[in-house]
Amino acid sequence: MTRLLTVTDLHVYYGSVHALKGVSLEVAEGEVVALLGANGAGKTTLLRTISGLVRPRQGEIRLGDRVITHLPAHEIVALGVAHAPEGRRVFGTLTVEENLTLGAYVRGATPEVEETRAWVYDLFPRLRERRRQMAGTLSGGEQQMLAIGRALMARPRLLLLDEPSLGLAPLLVQSIFRTIAEIARQGVTILLVEQNARAALRLAQRGYVLTTGTILASGSAAELMAGDRVKAAYLSGRSALTS
């Protein structure tokens, strides 16, 4: 398989705090790869570094053959990397449709953008129903749909998803994960950060387990599900493998 994302020996600091300590990973085109670990393990930092929001002190990030390590975030988006951040961070005083339009800012106003918006509405019919509604008045689940939809408006080759199930009821989590699976089936490569390890590994082909800024384990989803290292990376096995 063709490697789409290659991260090599990545070191990130927040002041004197060494947040990522030599992290290396790969994501092939068409894969869903899960990034697992407890709170504070460095998962969000890794996604923010890949998307250009945090600068590494050492290491390299490649998208295909292109080194993107020190590119500004908007250039990384233009190259095909979109990020749906933890906590959704929708623009509450803008409508659903205006939020989606902002997601396509690097593409300009083109017919292809309207096609992408129609695709997002097909993935998330609730957003079509709410398209004139202020984003701040949406439910938590609807805001998560909007955060993912806004990222998809960039028509990414690689989608970075940070905790898409956070704070959602179980039925909504199932719905969100079904849609993520559909996005993957339609050809978008996904790097998924998720506290619900069992749900993530059901969706992903492979995964990495991160603990205190280092990769503890990696392997196929089946291998990680069957092993003990996922459980060891969390405060308890129960919190790691919630259903």
Side-chain angles (χ1 to χ4, degrees):
M1 297 178 73
T2 303
R3 281 185 291 184
L4 179 59
L5 176 72
T6 307
V7 175
T8 306
D9 193 29
L10 204 65
H11 291 259
V12 172
Y13 289 78
Y14 293 118
S16 62
V17 177
H18 198 174
L20 295 180
K21 306 167 185 174
V23 168
S24 298
L25 59 79
E26 298 176 356
V27 181
E29 283 188 2
E31 275 194 310
V32 179
V33 174
L35 186 61
L36 309 172
N39 288 333
K43 307 183 302 297
T44 292
T45 294
L46 179 55
L47 292 196
R48 287 173 58 83
T49 306
I50 293 167
S51 62
L53 300 173
V54 171
R55 296 294 180 202
R57 187 175 297 183
Q58 180 181 322
E60 182 180 83
I61 305 167
R62 284 182 174 265
L63 186 69
D65 294 330
R66 177 78 179 267
V67 176
I68 64 169
T69 316
H70 297 293
L71 291 181
H74 70 276
E75 291 187 20
I76 293 174
V77 173
L79 289 171
V81 179
H83 186 178
E86 181 182 8
R88 299 143 200 166
R89 300 186 188 179
V90 300
F91 297 99
T93 58
L94 300 179
T95 66
V96 165
E97 196 146 294
E98 288 168 338
N99 270 268
L100 292 178
T101 299
L102 284 174
Y105 75 96
V106 297
R107 300 174 65 196
T110 66
E112 289 78 13
V113 168
E114 292 309 312
E115 291 174 8
T116 305
R117 194 195 316 273
W119 174 54
V120 169
Y121 284 151
D122 287 343
L123 289 168
F124 299 107
R126 187 72 61 84
L127 296 183
R128 179 182 282 116
E129 297 170 8
R130 303 282 195 268
R131 64 186 182 277
R132 305 298 182 197
Q133 190 169 323
M134 293 298 176
T137 66
L138 300 177
S139 69
E142 290 165 347
Q143 288 190 13
Q144 185 60 68
M145 295 173 195
L146 180 55
I148 296 172
R150 184 179 60 192
L152 291 174
M153 286 296 294
R155 268 297 186 183
R157 300 165 64 194
L158 173 65
L159 177 62
L160 309 177
L161 289 178
D162 196 351
E163 302 286 7
S165 77
L166 186 66
L168 301 185
L171 284 177
L172 276 174
V173 171
Q174 292 176 24
S175 175
I176 290 287
F177 270 85
R178 281 195 298 270
T179 304
I180 294 170
E182 178 59 29
I183 292 166
R185 278 192 294 271
Q186 295 193 31
V188 180
T189 304
I190 298 172
L191 180 58
L192 170 66
V193 164
E194 178 55 55
Q195 279 288 311
N196 189 330
R198 190 179 298 279
L201 292 173
R202 284 173 182 156
L203 178 65
Q205 288 83 49
R206 295 189 302 111
Y208 293 86
V209 182
L210 197 63
T211 180
T212 58
T214 61
I215 299 293
L216 175 68
S218 64
S220 71
E223 289 167 344
L224 292 176
M225 186 80 81
D228 293 327
R229 289 193 170 186
V230 173
K231 296 178 183 179
Y234 288 76
L235 295 177
S236 71
R238 183 174 301 173
S239 66
L241 294 174
T242 52
S243 59

